PDB file of all heavy atoms in Angstrom:
ATOM      1  N   PHE A 591     -70.297 152.470   3.297  1.00 63.00           N
ATOM      2  CA  PHE A 591     -69.863 151.173   2.635  1.00 63.00           C
ATOM      3  C   PHE A 591     -69.533 150.118   3.720  1.00 63.00           C
ATOM      4  O   PHE A 591     -70.006 149.009   3.645  1.00 63.00           O
ATOM      5  CB  PHE A 591     -68.676 151.457   1.752  1.00 63.00           C
ATOM      6  CG  PHE A 591     -67.914 150.212   1.404  1.00 63.00           C
ATOM      7  CD1 PHE A 591     -68.486 149.292   0.586  1.00 63.00           C
ATOM      8  CD2 PHE A 591     -66.627 149.988   1.889  1.00 63.00           C
ATOM      9  CE1 PHE A 591     -67.815 148.123   0.256  1.00 63.00           C
ATOM     10  CE2 PHE A 591     -65.954 148.871   1.607  1.00 63.00           C
ATOM     11  CZ  PHE A 591     -66.523 147.928   0.738  1.00 63.00           C
ATOM     12  N   GLU A 592     -68.803 150.593   4.733  1.00 62.00           N
ATOM     13  CA  GLU A 592     -68.433 149.611   5.764  1.00 62.00           C
ATOM     14  C   GLU A 592     -69.593 149.156   6.598  1.00 62.00           C
ATOM     15  O   GLU A 592     -69.678 147.949   6.986  1.00 62.00           O
ATOM     16  CB  GLU A 592     -67.354 150.190   6.652  1.00 62.00           C
ATOM     17  CG  GLU A 592     -66.012 150.041   6.021  1.00 62.00           C
ATOM     18  CD  GLU A 592     -64.936 150.973   6.605  1.00 62.00           C
ATOM     19  OE1 GLU A 592     -65.161 151.508   7.705  1.00 62.00           O
ATOM     20  OE2 GLU A 592     -63.894 151.103   5.969  1.00 62.00           O
ATOM     21  N   ALA A 593     -70.533 150.085   6.814  1.00 58.00           N
ATOM     22  CA  ALA A 593     -71.704 149.700   7.584  1.00 58.00           C
ATOM     23  C   ALA A 593     -72.507 148.702   6.758  1.00 58.00           C
ATOM     24  O   ALA A 593     -72.990 147.704   7.337  1.00 58.00           O
ATOM     25  CB  ALA A 593     -72.576 150.925   7.835  1.00 58.00           C
ATOM     26  N   ASP A 594     -72.583 148.934   5.481  1.00 58.00           N
ATOM     27  CA  ASP A 594     -73.276 147.986   4.605  1.00 58.00           C
ATOM     28  C   ASP A 594     -72.661 146.591   4.700  1.00 58.00           C
ATOM     29  O   ASP A 594     -73.336 145.581   4.769  1.00 58.00           O
ATOM     30  CB  ASP A 594     -73.215 148.454   3.171  1.00 58.00           C
ATOM     31  CG  ASP A 594     -74.305 149.480   2.844  1.00 58.00           C
ATOM     32  OD1 ASP A 594     -75.106 149.692   3.793  1.00 58.00           O
ATOM     33  OD2 ASP A 594     -74.336 149.979   1.728  1.00 58.00           O
ATOM     34  N   GLN A 595     -71.325 146.697   4.657  1.00 58.00           N
ATOM     35  CA  GLN A 595     -70.555 145.391   4.692  1.00 58.00           C
ATOM     36  C   GLN A 595     -70.850 144.612   5.932  1.00 58.00           C
ATOM     37  O   GLN A 595     -70.954 143.416   5.899  1.00 58.00           O
ATOM     38  CB  GLN A 595     -69.062 145.714   4.606  1.00 58.00           C
ATOM     39  CG  GLN A 595     -68.460 145.080   3.390  1.00 58.00           C
ATOM     40  CD  GLN A 595     -66.912 145.212   3.494  1.00 58.00           C
ATOM     41  OE1 GLN A 595     -66.456 146.259   3.840  1.00 58.00           O
ATOM     42  NE2 GLN A 595     -66.259 144.199   3.142  1.00 58.00           N
ATOM     43  N   LEU A 596     -70.917 145.331   7.034  1.00 56.00           N
ATOM     44  CA  LEU A 596     -71.162 144.673   8.337  1.00 56.00           C
ATOM     45  C   LEU A 596     -72.594 144.068   8.423  1.00 56.00           C
ATOM     46  O   LEU A 596     -72.797 143.013   8.925  1.00 56.00           O
ATOM     47  CB  LEU A 596     -70.953 145.644   9.484  1.00 56.00           C
ATOM     48  CG  LEU A 596     -69.502 145.948   9.799  1.00 56.00           C
ATOM     49  CD1 LEU A 596     -69.419 147.038  10.824  1.00 56.00           C
ATOM     50  CD2 LEU A 596     -68.802 144.661  10.289  1.00 56.00           C
ATOM     51  N   SER A 597     -73.524 144.799   7.853  1.00 52.00           N
ATOM     52  CA  SER A 597     -74.907 144.383   7.961  1.00 52.00           C
ATOM     53  C   SER A 597     -75.280 143.346   6.915  1.00 52.00           C
ATOM     54  O   SER A 597     -76.198 142.589   7.055  1.00 52.00           O
ATOM     55  CB  SER A 597     -75.887 145.546   7.937  1.00 52.00           C
ATOM     56  OG  SER A 597     -75.560 146.308   6.801  1.00 52.00           O
ATOM     57  N   HIS A 598     -74.555 143.319   5.787  1.00 49.00           N
ATOM     58  CA  HIS A 598     -74.849 142.332   4.716  1.00 49.00           C
ATOM     59  C   HIS A 598     -73.784 141.277   4.566  1.00 49.00           C
ATOM     60  O   HIS A 598     -72.746 141.304   5.262  1.00 49.00           O
ATOM     61  CB  HIS A 598     -74.996 143.096   3.402  1.00 49.00           C
ATOM     62  CG  HIS A 598     -76.127 144.051   3.390  1.00 49.00           C
ATOM     63  ND1 HIS A 598     -75.957 145.419   3.635  1.00 49.00           N
ATOM     64  CD2 HIS A 598     -77.449 143.876   3.248  1.00 49.00           C
ATOM     65  CE1 HIS A 598     -77.147 145.993   3.633  1.00 49.00           C
ATOM     66  NE2 HIS A 598     -78.073 145.085   3.384  1.00 49.00           N
ATOM     67  N   SER A 599     -74.014 140.373   3.675  1.00 43.00           N
ATOM     68  CA  SER A 599     -72.958 139.366   3.385  1.00 43.00           C
ATOM     69  C   SER A 599     -71.759 140.045   2.795  1.00 43.00           C
ATOM     70  O   SER A 599     -71.890 140.839   1.872  1.00 43.00           O
ATOM     71  CB  SER A 599     -73.533 138.352   2.376  1.00 43.00           C
ATOM     72  OG  SER A 599     -72.478 137.668   1.783  1.00 43.00           O
ATOM     73  N   PRO A 600     -70.571 139.787   3.336  1.00 42.00           N
ATOM     74  CA  PRO A 600     -69.376 140.521   2.924  1.00 42.00           C
ATOM     75  C   PRO A 600     -68.989 140.194   1.443  1.00 42.00           C
ATOM     76  O   PRO A 600     -68.293 140.994   0.826  1.00 42.00           O
ATOM     77  CB  PRO A 600     -68.276 140.014   3.832  1.00 42.00           C
ATOM     78  CG  PRO A 600     -68.773 138.757   4.428  1.00 42.00           C
ATOM     79  CD  PRO A 600     -70.270 138.819   4.383  1.00 42.00           C
ATOM     80  N   LEU A 601     -69.446 139.130   0.937  1.00 43.00           N
ATOM     81  CA  LEU A 601     -69.033 138.743  -0.379  1.00 43.00           C
ATOM     82  C   LEU A 601     -69.940 139.324  -1.462  1.00 43.00           C
ATOM     83  O   LEU A 601     -69.698 139.150  -2.611  1.00 43.00           O
ATOM     84  CB  LEU A 601     -69.005 137.218  -0.496  1.00 43.00           C
ATOM     85  CG  LEU A 601     -67.937 136.541   0.376  1.00 43.00           C
ATOM     86  CD1 LEU A 601     -68.129 135.031   0.243  1.00 43.00           C
ATOM     87  CD2 LEU A 601     -66.540 136.958  -0.067  1.00 43.00           C
ATOM     88  N   LYS A 602     -71.018 139.940  -1.005  1.00 42.00           N
ATOM     89  CA  LYS A 602     -72.020 140.326  -1.981  1.00 42.00           C
ATOM     90  C   LYS A 602     -71.686 141.662  -2.689  1.00 42.00           C
ATOM     91  O   LYS A 602     -71.927 142.693  -2.189  1.00 42.00           O
ATOM     92  CB  LYS A 602     -73.379 140.446  -1.298  1.00 42.00           C
ATOM     93  CG  LYS A 602     -74.554 140.474  -2.267  1.00 42.00           C
ATOM     94  CD  LYS A 602     -75.826 140.750  -1.512  1.00 42.00           C
ATOM     95  CE  LYS A 602     -76.742 141.599  -2.302  1.00 42.00           C
ATOM     96  NZ  LYS A 602     -77.847 142.150  -1.445  1.00 42.00           N
ATOM     97  N   ASP A 603     -70.996 141.444  -3.831  1.00 45.00           N
ATOM     98  CA  ASP A 603     -70.791 142.568  -4.720  1.00 45.00           C
ATOM     99  C   ASP A 603     -70.198 143.800  -4.008  1.00 45.00           C
ATOM    100  O   ASP A 603     -70.647 144.925  -4.200  1.00 45.00           O
ATOM    101  CB  ASP A 603     -72.162 142.926  -5.398  1.00 45.00           C
ATOM    102  CG  ASP A 603     -71.959 143.680  -6.672  1.00 45.00           C
ATOM    103  OD1 ASP A 603     -70.758 143.637  -7.176  1.00 45.00           O
ATOM    104  OD2 ASP A 603     -72.864 144.293  -7.151  1.00 45.00           O
ATOM    105  N   VAL A 604     -69.227 143.512  -3.163  1.00 44.00           N
ATOM    106  CA  VAL A 604     -68.629 144.572  -2.339  1.00 44.00           C
ATOM    107  C   VAL A 604     -68.007 145.677  -3.179  1.00 44.00           C
ATOM    108  O   VAL A 604     -68.264 146.832  -2.919  1.00 44.00           O
ATOM    109  CB  VAL A 604     -67.622 144.017  -1.319  1.00 44.00           C
ATOM    110  CG1 VAL A 604     -68.243 143.674  -0.055  1.00 44.00           C
ATOM    111  CG2 VAL A 604     -66.873 142.817  -1.926  1.00 44.00           C
ATOM    112  N   GLY A 605     -67.201 145.223  -4.168  1.00 50.00           N
ATOM    113  CA  GLY A 605     -66.483 146.191  -4.995  1.00 50.00           C
ATOM    114  C   GLY A 605     -67.452 147.170  -5.649  1.00 50.00           C
ATOM    115  O   GLY A 605     -67.306 148.401  -5.569  1.00 50.00           O
TER     116      GLY A 605
END
Side-chain angles (χ1 to χ4, degrees):
F591 163 67
E592 276 163 17
D594 275 359
Q595 240 189 317
L596 283 173
S597 53
H598 297 99
S599 162
L601 294 174
K602 196 187 145 195
D603 202 15
V604 268

